[in-house]
């Protein structure tokens, strides 16, 4: 990869940056619309991330952050861990953005001298604030989100540096979630959940989960971050799947902002969600441009953790964690499908990425050979999966299972549709993911009334 | 360095941890004294940092974080950048500590349902809160401190990884200060300073510095972080000088807490300062144990930046930035003294650490040879410094300056007191630093009334 930006790239990035900068300056006049500022910041995030990935590639390689692309004919080394660059740009943008949603509210609610005029603030609650302005108390949540994301970047870089063991990796998102959970505890502390209608006879309308709610939030972080980390291995898939997820959540947020009468308790939460997601989309697009087939950089575990944590933070602080789980269904399926190998019920090779056939230039499902015969129930289960077309199992004449395709959704796709080029494989998976996620959102809003007394849309 | 803890170490660390843990549990009863909890957390920080430094040393070396000790007879390689471990432990402790100073206040000021009962809070202000409880609005400051510190750790690790150029390094603390400054802007925004009495005729009692105040805070961060980074090079000096500074600030804070009648506006600020400093002392002691002569680990630039930023954050958010400058006087002197070499008025060799004499085992001042004759005014200035005993200059028969000792306080000490062993050199410098800092604090409180109408003690 050349570290120099071409003339066209320089002009395009400069034009974009100037336009975004102009928009930002304009937000100072009038009410200073934070949502517009957020879009402008996302544009700036895109262009600076784009340029930095190019400028820093060589330095990363010199310091040992590099890897070989196993699915190519010519396996040249390319920079690794470039997700760290994205994450740094993203965090800086989140910080710079703070005055837009939080400043004006303070000025409006202050009688001067830096003391918050509390009575005035109460009055504002009655008369309604400007759309897109946050009450000051949201600042602590926002800052705690930044701390959690910074933590996962630090730990993710540690993982990329030191190759932490699998069983330790699992806890990286849990540790990073601590700042968010502690501020949630101190700041908000609501751990009651609405009970679905069929269960109300037994549990009442609300049930207080207490500390179980914190466990739930920590588990959600672990799931979100790791599920992206294991649906990985072919060019562009990590970033592109994150962009699909982010896109689906943005659509969901937009529904709330457009169709909900203002003021509504959900508006603030979904604005909060957008403010976190738009810059994420900016930096991810810049990374995808360099990571899409044929990849010129790798993203590293850092990016996967970071992206997963952005979603977890977004879902938890935006109070739509159940919707988040719906959007993550394909990742969830991949996790469940991978479980037999992850937990060593079935042998797990070091790499499970598809096999590159150098003659055809296409990817084929990679396989695991069973040197020792499998236990009877496991072998029978594999045969059943084969009949259900959920696995490709090979048996010898005696009917003994001798090999199978590896247990990832990526290999399964190749089992279903045959060998294909790397980018077509990625596109197929992304289309599938978008369809499942979109369906999930549709069902969530159409079916909510079946199990709850009201949809909060 | 062995990565295994000896049996004695294991027992000692376990005993300390258990004791601290017991104290923490006890703070749940009664009012839950945050200051006591902070001390207990600092003990836990010490023991976990101590163990982690040992356990991770090998992994750091394998990944290329290693260096040779130039001032030893046998130059074995030892782990580098261990300050990053300290910083991570410190940040986690700061996060875990949040509920102690912030939780009870919320519960007391809430009428249930998670809505802050604002009237009650106002009433609390009149009747006084418990000592050591913070109003909720301080939480944003505290979180912004964590973000700034996390940023400098991220950038510091980047520096240790990529060896960033000198002129870029300067800005690392400035970038890291942004989160703190932005939250200061949004949250507090007081940029007025008290004018010294002699100037009041011209400027009035208070002068509003406006955005200049933010420049001042950014410069203070740059100065604080870099001044520690350039007073470095011999075993233990980076950590030990930071401990002396932290100790002096703690003494200053304790004065306020003990001698000021409560409630007093300064009490909260100085408690805030202690909460940030005590865990810092914990992790630094653990590091010093391994970095003191003969060093078994190096601390890396990460530690120097991190330590300097802890002081900057502490001084700015604790509202005692002028006192901080007093305590940093020796570092300031070293900076000014180094300036001729840093800004290339005089040639600057790559390393300026003292010269190790393998025959005697002692350190001697390292020297810079002037291959080309110096400009007349510079040569004369050097000779003047020589006469003032502030430099050791060598001239040839014609009176031309041919070499001088390097421009650091460390070399100057060796010029003054002759060759000595590395640890005696460090001890001497630390004693000097403690004396100057202590004198500074004394003068600050005795003389404040000469230029201000009141000392805020």
């Amino acid at each position: 990869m050349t570290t120099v930006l071409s003339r066209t790239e320089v002009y395009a990035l400069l034009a974009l940056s100037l336009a975004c900068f102009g928009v930002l300056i304009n937000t100072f006049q009038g009410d200073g619309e934070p949502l517009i500022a957020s879009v402008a910041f996302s544009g700036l995030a895109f262009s600076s991330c784009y340029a930095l990935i190019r400028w820093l590639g060589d330095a990363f390689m010199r310091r040992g952050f590099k890897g070989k692309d196993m699915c190519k004919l010519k396996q040249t080394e390319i920079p690794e861990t470039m997700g760290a660059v994205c994450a740094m740009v993203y965090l800086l943008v989140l910080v710079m953005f703070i005055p837009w949603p939080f400043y004006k509210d303070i000025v409006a609610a202050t009688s001067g001298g830096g003391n918050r005029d509390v009575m005035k603030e109460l009055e504002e609650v009655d008369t309604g604030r400007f759309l897109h302005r946050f009450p000051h108390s949201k600042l602590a949540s926002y800052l705690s989100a930044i701390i959690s994301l910074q933590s996962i970047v630090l730990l993710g870089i540690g993982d990329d540096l030191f190759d932490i063991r699998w069983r330790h990796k699992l806890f990286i998102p849990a540790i990073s979630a601590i700042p968010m959970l502690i501020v949630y505890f101190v700041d908000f502390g609501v751990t009651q959940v609405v009970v679905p209608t069929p269960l109300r006879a037994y549990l009442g309308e609300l049930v207080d989960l207490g500390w179980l709610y914190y466990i739930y939030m920590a588990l959600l972080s672990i799931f979100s971050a790791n599920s992206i980390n294991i649906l990985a291995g072919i060019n562009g898939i990590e970033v592109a799947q994150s962009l699909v997820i982010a896109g689906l959540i943005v659509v969901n947020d937009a529904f709330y902002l457009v169709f909900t009468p203002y003021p509504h308790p959900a508006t603030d939460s979904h604005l909060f969600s957008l403010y976190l997601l738009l810059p994420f989309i900016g930096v991810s697009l810049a990374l995808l441009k360099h990571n899409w087939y044929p990849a010129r950089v790798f993203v590293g575990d850092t990016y996967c953790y970071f992206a997963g944590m952005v979603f977890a933070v977004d879902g938890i602080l935006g109070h739509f964690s159940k919707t988040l789980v719906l959007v993550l269904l394909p990742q969830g399926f991949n996790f469940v499908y991978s479980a037999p190998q992850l937990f060593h019920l079935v042998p797990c090779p070091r790499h499970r990425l598809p096999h590159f056939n150098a003659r055809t230039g296409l990817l084929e499902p990679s396989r695991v050979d069973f040197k020792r015969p499998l236990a009877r129930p496991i072998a029978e289960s594999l045969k059943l999966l084969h009949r259900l077309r959920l696995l490709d199992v090979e048996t010898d004449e005696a009917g003994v299972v001798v090999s199978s395709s590896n247990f990832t959704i990526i290999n399964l796709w190749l089992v279903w549709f045959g060998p294909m080029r790397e980018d077509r494989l990625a596109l197929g998976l992304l289309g599938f993911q978008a369809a499942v996620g979109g369906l999930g959102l549709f069902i969530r809003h159409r079916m909510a009334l079946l199990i709850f007394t009201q949809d909060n849309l």
Side-chain angles (χ1 to χ4, degrees), chain A residues 144-454:
Chain A
S144 76
I146 296 180
I147 298 178
S148 275
L149 292 171
Q150 241 174 0
S151 305
I152 206 153
V153 173
L154 268 171
L155 293 171
I157 292 176
D159 180 22
D160 275 333
L161 273 172
F162 298 119
D163 264 329
I164 297 172
R165 258 171 264 163
W166 233 97
R167 60 170 182 277
H168 295 155
K169 277 188 191 204
L170 260 179
F171 295 100
I172 286 182
I175 294 173
S176 312
I178 291 175
M180 173 179 59
L181 299 186
I182 285 193
V183 172
Y184 191 95
F185 171 68
V186 165
D187 204 36
F188 200 71
V190 175
T191 54
Q192 292 162 330
V193 290
V194 179
V195 176
T197 326
L199 298 176
R200 287 205 181 162
Y202 314 102
L203 296 170
E205 200 173 326
L206 289 171
V207 66
D208 191 352
L209 291 181
W211 57 268
L212 279 177
Y213 195 73
Y214 293 93
I215 303 282
Y216 161 70
M217 291 190 282
L219 287 177
L220 186 65
S221 309
I222 295 180
F223 167 67
S224 176
N226 282 294
S227 68
I228 289 174
N229 206 20
I230 62 172
L231 180 44
I234 61 172
N235 288 176
I237 194 75
E238 300 92 347
V239 186
Q241 70 175 311
S242 304
L243 278 168
V244 170
I245 296 167
L248 287 168
I249 304 180
V250 166
V251 168
N252 188 50
D253 290 336
F255 268 130
Y256 279 92
L257 295 183
V258 174
F259 292 120
T260 317
Y262 187 80
H264 184 283
T267 318
D268 270 359
S269 302
H270 288 279
L271 270 174
F272 192 94
S273 160
L274 281 182
Y275 295 159
L276 290 179
L277 283 180
L278 295 179
F280 174 77
I281 292 177
V283 295
S284 293
L285 282 174
L287 186 56
L288 184 63
K289 184 81 174 65
H290 296 90
N291 181 238
W292 188 253
Y293 177 89
R296 289 174 293 167
V297 304
F298 288 132
V299 300
D301 284 354
T302 310
Y303 180 82
C304 302
Y305 287 131
F306 162 65
M309 200 68 192
V310 168
F311 302 137
V313 164
D314 205 55
I316 290 171
L317 296 181
H319 304 288
F320 58 91
S321 57
K322 279 170 295 186
T323 308
L324 176 63
V325 173
L326 274 182
V327 171
L328 287 171
L329 273 184
Q331 281 72 22
F333 172 74
N334 185 54
F335 180 77
V336 173
Y337 186 59
S338 293
Q341 284 194 320
L342 294 182
F343 299 113
H344 293 286
L345 292 177
V346 167
C348 182
R350 179 144 166 62
H351 289 292
R352 304 189 299 163
L353 43 121
H355 171 73
F356 176 70
N357 185 330
R359 202 173 46 77
T360 59
L362 303 180
L363 296 187
E364 298 167 355
S366 64
R367 305 188 65 84
V368 50
D369 295 321
F370 305 124
K371 308 255 155 56
R372 295 187 306 175
L374 295 170
R376 179 86 196 274
I378 292 175
E380 290 305 317
S381 311
L382 295 198
K383 284 182 191 167
L384 177 64
L385 284 174
H386 182 78
R387 273 195 297 275
L388 293 171
R389 285 194 38 94
L390 283 172
L391 199 65
D392 184 48
V393 172
E394 184 194 357
T395 51
D396 61 8
E397 315 81 54
V400 178
V401 175
V402 290
S403 83
S404 85
S405 57
N406 273 313
F407 293 64
T408 70
I409 200 174
I410 300 178
N411 285 305
L412 183 58
W413 195 263
L414 292 169
V415 168
W416 282 348
F417 301 104
M420 60 181 82
R421 216 175 66 168
E422 197 171 355
D423 52 345
R424 281 205 43 220
L425 172 59
L427 280 175
L429 286 166
L430 293 169
F432 171 71
Q433 185 200 353
V436 171
L439 193 69
L441 281 187
F442 180 78
I443 292 176
R444 182 239 171 288
H445 289 295
R446 303 308 301 222
M447 306 294 179
L449 294 181
L450 295 185
I451 52 169
F452 290 108
T453 48
Q454 54 174 39

